[in-house]
Amino acid sequence: MSFANVVRFVLIGCFLALISSAQAQAILDKGTVSGMVRTADGQPAEFVSVALKDIGRGTSTDARGRFVLRDVPAGSYTLVILFVGFEAQEQLLEVRRGETTTVPDVSLRQSTRELSEVQVLGQKRRTASATRTNQELLDIPMSIQVIGQDVVQQQNAFDLATLTRNISGVNLQGTYGGQDTYQFFNARGFNLNNAQNFRRNGLMVWNMGTHFNDNIEAVEFLKGPAAILYGDVAPGGVMNFVTKKPLQYDYRRLELKVGQYGLLRPTLDVSGPLNDKKTLLYRVNTTYQQSKSFRDEVSSRAIMFAPTLTWNPTPRLSWTGEYVFKQTESANDPGLVSPDGTFAGVKRLPRSRYLGEARMQYTFRDQGLYSTTAYQLGDNWQVRNQLSYGYTTRTPYALELGQPDAQGNLRRFEYNYNQWFDTRTVSLDVTGTVQTGSVKHTLLLGADYFSTYSRYTESAGYNLVDSTFNIFNPIYNQAKLSFDNSPYSNTRFFYQRSGLYAQDQLSVLNDKVQVLLGLRLNRTRQGNAYDNEADRPATDQIVTVRPVSPRVGVVYKPQPWLSAFASYTESYEVNSPSDYVGAVNESEASTLKPTLGKQTEAGVKANLLGERLGVTLTAFNIEKTNVVGTYYEDRLDPAAADFRYYVYDGGRHRSRGLELDANGKITPNLSVTASASLIDARIIRDPAYTAGNRLGGAPRTGFSVWADYQVPLAQLRGLTLGYGVFNRAGYFGTNENLFRTAGYTTMDAAVGYTYKQFSTRLNVSNLTDRTYYLQNFSPVTWEPQWVRRAVLSVAVRF
């Protein structure tokens, strides 16, 4: 069966299912339940779990503290309100046919009992990253996956690679010089851009260091193009890190992770009110990590400190200020090369073999200030302002490897410089609801501005440090390395992005049908700013583009737990001549036009098993036109031609596929996170590569299943067992399709125990010690992935 027929079969089946569900719905007499939850001082309480325990229906409150349960069969119910650290409350209510039952305002009361985690599961979870209007996933006409604290703790995760393997269509592509530097990702067949596709609470951050730290509450992944909200982005998707916020009750948690290969990772998370009225709240997260590696000579250290303050001077006004400091130092790891230039040959070297120099350290330091102010304009409107300032420094001190000769002698090239980034962002959003007749409008109006400048030292370039280093008998500390102390260059590279955007989600038929319409007017300007403009060469020009980015979508909900959706979105990426200074034909880069992405997507979302298990099935097609790329003069061995490369444009690439994601609870004791994908990502037309080649870094298939089981026996209360299987098919590392990695399947296992405020968990990753590799951007370099590793965590709340 062809791919197109598979998509048609899935969509037709879903359509028939929706019709039958709609017919069943029509014969039921139903009503609506609505209400508001507030804190003790009258402020709206967000993310409070609200459920009708008689039928297992539930939702969570939005940013205004409101909740709505629609299509509830007429009858008598018990409404339950739950929130971590507060007493559970119940209210009796009567739902009448065709009417809305308004629950009197609920005020949270702090509990003195042991805290228990309350989670909203499946598609009932809310996000503001996709629409900035804080909606349930079920009502958003796009595929969005959220990895929250449940998965983080179950898998003992402390890096992005561990988390993203749970999301369909998202793949770790490789790293910049080792596991503890920073990681590259591919989504829906396309590489994510380090300067465009990563966000922190919706604000852009550079992908130049470790992102996942203990101040991250959840990782949201919005799949496909998202230019309407974020400007120029690569079309694979946007990864957003949602940070932990201050709590209204005293919370203290100390955790220690220890593991094989010298892992030591203590973390502290403390939060609570600073005054009696609880209008001033704080939270502090801090982490220290040191670790060796299964790779010889490699080690790393990292620290993170993130204090946060929230001030609620009135029930309508809220301000949150955050500061984050991160620093990482790690030995550069260039990976392995194959003795004979084939993928099979790389296995002749042990996974632990190190071909670099531990003296070469990748250092990364990042400081960021973030401000979020929100003000309620009446009951239906909110104004939200975000400001951020970030200053980042890094030293990419690395070795590039050539192809060894028959005796294993290797040419190694030194590449190093210093760099800083100065990043500033401001945004203003107005959101609210308006009723026009029978149509409800959820509106968003906004504007944003983003600016980042970066400067390099003048020493950047490839220098041969030795040609006699032997891959079979390595001897370290013999190469003559030159540590960079050169002055900064006379240019600053910059991005400047601004935009005006508007969006309306129209709801009719009691929210059964929702139509999303959005438009963004963009202005992106990037290039080099010279200290002395007379120094600018004719080939180095500043580029300004003003594309228009639309987004349309529709949601149909025949049942409160089921929705079908379809959407169309676009993206663009600016191609600046300054990105290709040093190319053999760099003069041709002055005429490069933007790269465009267009996605059509359709799917079904459902909350099954009493709304405990959320499922999303999606079919998509992405067309990427005017692709700009580069290729080396010697494609088999870039070092052989001293890394001479060419730039080109005019390519057309396409990715289409099916994705399935599921998360939640199958039973009260068994939680599951699962994913599967089938993606065909190919070159349709390209000046440098053969039409029909698969896109590099994009496996055709992949799946994952993680299950966590809480043993229900009274004598074993608190015991949990976890097990997971993670699979990725083989893929080509580059668009040349010269070498294909082997597919792999790894397994993880875990056992944990919780008693009151104490918890411990042992996780073993790559349980069968599977050997597998990733191929990065060089056709001769391979990255061996982690061997079997045990990590023990011990945590206490106090």
Side-chain angles (χ1 to χ4, degrees), residues 226-247:
I228 181 174
L229 294 183
Y230 300 121
D232 54 318
V233 293
V238 170
M239 192 179 300
N240 183 49
F241 309 111
V242 182
T243 58
K244 294 179 179 178
K245 301 300 188 296
L247 304 172

Side-chain angles (χ1 to χ4, degrees), residues 23-217:
Q23 292 172 340
Q25 168 72 15
I27 64 174
L28 297 177
D29 295 327
K30 299 183 177 181
T32 300
V33 177
S34 67
M36 175 174 285
V37 180
R38 298 183 182 274
T39 61
D41 57 350
Q43 300 180 57
E46 188 177 7
F47 300 123
V48 176
S49 178
V50 179
L52 298 172
K53 71 176 184 179
D54 309 81
I55 57 175
R57 285 276 309 281
T59 186
S60 61
T61 56
D62 60 20
R64 300 186 297 274
R66 294 185 172 185
F67 65 88
V68 178
L69 291 166
R70 304 184 188 280
D71 298 317
V72 178
S76 300
Y77 297 96
T78 300
L79 185 74
V80 182
I81 296 93
L82 298 171
F83 193 61
V84 177
F86 293 84
E87 293 182 1
Q89 299 185 50
E90 295 186 356
Q91 291 193 19
L92 298 178
L93 56 87
E94 187 77 21
V95 178
R96 295 182 175 86
R97 173 185 176 184
E99 296 182 6
T100 297
T101 300
T102 302
V103 179
D105 286 5
V106 178
S107 180
L108 295 176
R109 298 190 296 269
Q110 189 164 358
S111 174
T112 58
R113 301 177 182 177
E114 176 183 343
L115 298 180
S116 59
E117 298 294 338
V118 177
Q119 297 173 349
V120 177
L121 303 174
Q123 300 300 315
K124 285 295 181 182
R125 291 176 296 181
R126 291 179 174 271
T127 179
S129 66
T131 62
R132 295 193 182 177
T133 51
N134 195 4
Q135 294 178 297
E136 292 182 358
L137 299 179
L138 198 69
D139 294 328
I140 300 174
M142 284 148 282
S143 180
I144 304 169
Q145 298 307 314
V146 180
I147 302 298
Q149 281 296 305
D150 52 344
V151 176
V152 172
Q153 295 183 21
Q154 290 169 12
Q155 299 185 7
N156 239 344
F158 52 91
D159 71 339
L160 277 181
T162 301
L163 294 181
T164 54
R165 63 183 181 170
N166 297 282
I167 305 174
S168 67
V170 180
N171 304 288
L172 174 65
Q173 187 180 9
T175 67
Y176 186 92
Q179 299 286 340
D180 292 321
T181 53
Y182 63 92
Q183 300 163 328
F184 302 103
F185 293 92
N186 181 286
R188 287 192 167 177
F190 297 107
N191 298 335
L192 302 189
N193 190 300
N194 293 330
Q196 299 165 333
N197 290 70
F198 295 84
R199 296 293 187 276
R200 184 185 186 276
N201 296 326
L203 299 177
M204 182 267 175
V205 291
W206 284 91
N207 183 38
M208 297 295 180
T210 302
H211 286 297
F212 185 77
N213 285 288
D214 293 274
N215 66 321
I216 303 299
E217 182 70 32

Side-chain angles (χ1 to χ4, degrees), residues 478-597:
Q478 301 297 309
K480 295 182 179 180
L481 305 177
S482 58
F483 294 89
D484 182 25
N485 58 3
S486 62
Y488 279 93
S489 65
N490 66 337
T491 63
R492 292 172 297 151
F493 180 72
F494 70 89
Y495 292 101
Q496 292 176 340
R497 306 185 185 114
S498 57
L500 298 173
Y501 45 91
Q503 181 177 275
D504 185 7
Q505 186 153 349
L506 303 90
S507 301
V508 297
L509 301 177
N510 204 22
D511 286 348
K512 285 185 174 63
V513 177
Q514 303 179 45
V515 178
L516 179 70
L517 303 173
L519 192 71
R520 178 185 174 101
L521 306 179
N522 299 281
R523 182 180 185 272
T524 300
R525 184 172 179 265
Q526 69 182 59
N528 283 322
Y530 283 78
D531 296 341
N532 183 356
E533 189 62 26
D535 294 335
R536 182 185 300 276
T539 57
D540 189 0
Q541 300 297 316
I542 295 174
V543 174
T544 302
V545 298
R546 296 179 176 84
V548 177
S549 303
R551 176 162 70 181
V552 297
V554 62
V555 176
Y556 173 55
K557 295 176 63 177
Q559 297 280 2
W561 50 268
L562 177 66
S563 69
F565 70 93
S567 65
Y568 173 81
T569 55
E570 292 186 2
S571 68
Y572 72 96
E573 299 168 79
V574 177
N575 298 302
S576 172
S578 56
D579 290 336
Y580 304 101
V581 174
V584 174
N585 60 336
E586 69 175 81
S587 61
E588 299 178 18
S590 61
T591 60
L592 296 176
K593 296 181 180 180
T595 298
L596 303 179

Side-chain angles (χ1 to χ4, degrees), residues 380-398:
N380 297 321
W381 289 88
Q382 182 188 68
V383 178
R384 186 169 181 259
N385 167 250
Q386 287 186 288
L387 302 167
S388 72
Y389 171 74
Y391 188 77
T392 303
T393 61
R394 68 174 189 140
T395 304
Y397 195 8

Side-chain angles (χ1 to χ4, degrees), residues 386-700:
Q386 287 186 288
L387 302 167
S388 72
Y389 171 74
Y391 188 77
T392 303
T393 61
R394 68 174 189 140
T395 304
Y397 195 8
L399 285 176
E400 296 282 352
L401 308 180
Q403 179 62 41
D405 61 23
Q407 289 73 41
N409 295 319
L410 180 67
R411 299 172 74 208
R412 301 191 300 175
F413 295 80
E414 177 186 58
Y415 180 70
N416 74 99
Y417 56 88
N418 296 315
Q419 184 182 20
W420 58 255
F421 302 86
D422 184 296
T423 303
R424 304 164 192 228
T425 303
V426 59
S427 69
L428 180 67
D429 292 334
V430 179
T431 58
T433 58
V434 174
Q435 195 81 24
T436 58
S438 61
V439 181
K440 183 179 76 173
H441 302 262
T442 301
L443 297 170
L444 164 69
L445 300 173
D448 59 23
Y449 174 78
F450 165 83
S451 172
T452 185
Y453 281 83
S454 66
R455 196 189 288 266
Y456 300 81
T457 50
E458 295 179 347
S459 63
Y462 292 97
N463 303 308
L464 182 66
V465 296
D466 60 33
S467 58
T468 59
F469 183 88
N470 194 276
I471 63 174
F472 300 115
N473 184 30
I475 300 176
Y476 305 110
N477 300 318
Q478 301 297 309
K480 295 182 179 180
L481 305 177
S482 58
F483 294 89
D484 182 25
N485 58 3
S486 62
Y488 279 93
S489 65
N490 66 337
T491 63
R492 292 172 297 151
F493 180 72
F494 70 89
Y495 292 101
Q496 292 176 340
R497 306 185 185 114
S498 57
L500 298 173
Y501 45 91
Q503 181 177 275
D504 185 7
Q505 186 153 349
L506 303 90
S507 301
V508 297
L509 301 177
N510 204 22
D511 286 348
K512 285 185 174 63
V513 177
Q514 303 179 45
V515 178
L516 179 70
L517 303 173
L519 192 71
R520 178 185 174 101
L521 306 179
N522 299 281
R523 182 180 185 272
T524 300
R525 184 172 179 265
Q526 69 182 59
N528 283 322
Y530 283 78
D531 296 341
N532 183 356
E533 189 62 26
D535 294 335
R536 182 185 300 276
T539 57
D540 189 0
Q541 300 297 316
I542 295 174
V543 174
T544 302
V545 298
R546 296 179 176 84
V548 177
S549 303
R551 176 162 70 181
V552 297
V554 62
V555 176
Y556 173 55
K557 295 176 63 177
Q559 297 280 2
W561 50 268
L562 177 66
S563 69
F565 70 93
S567 65
Y568 173 81
T569 55
E570 292 186 2
S571 68
Y572 72 96
E573 299 168 79
V574 177
N575 298 302
S576 172
S578 56
D579 290 336
Y580 304 101
V581 174
V584 174
N585 60 336
E586 69 175 81
S587 61
E588 299 178 18
S590 61
T591 60
L592 296 176
K593 296 181 180 180
T595 298
L596 303 179
K598 299 179 180 181
Q599 173 183 272
T600 304
E601 181 181 37
V604 176
K605 301 179 183 181
N607 283 311
L608 307 176
L609 304 178
E611 301 194 337
R612 295 192 308 268
L613 181 68
V615 178
T616 303
L617 174 63
T618 309
F620 69 88
N621 185 86
I622 301 176
E623 298 281 342
K624 191 173 181 180
T625 57
N626 194 45
V627 175
V628 173
T630 61
Y631 63 91
Y632 287 109
E633 189 170 86
D634 189 325
R635 300 193 183 195
L636 284 174
D637 185 2
D642 292 332
F643 303 99
R644 286 164 54 88
Y645 73 96
Y646 295 81
V647 61
Y648 69 90
D649 63 351
R652 179 188 168 204
H653 299 171
R654 183 189 66 201
S655 177
R656 55 187 184 182
L658 294 171
E659 295 174 338
L660 176 67
D661 290 275
N663 58 81
K665 290 192 172 184
I666 295 179
T667 73
N669 298 95
L670 179 62
S671 62
V672 172
T673 300
S675 70
S677 60
L678 170 63
I679 297 176
D680 183 55
R682 293 183 179 273
I683 293 174
I684 305 302
R685 180 182 66 252
D686 197 289
Y689 304 105
T690 303
N693 278 8
R694 296 193 181 277
L695 296 183
R700 180 171 173 80

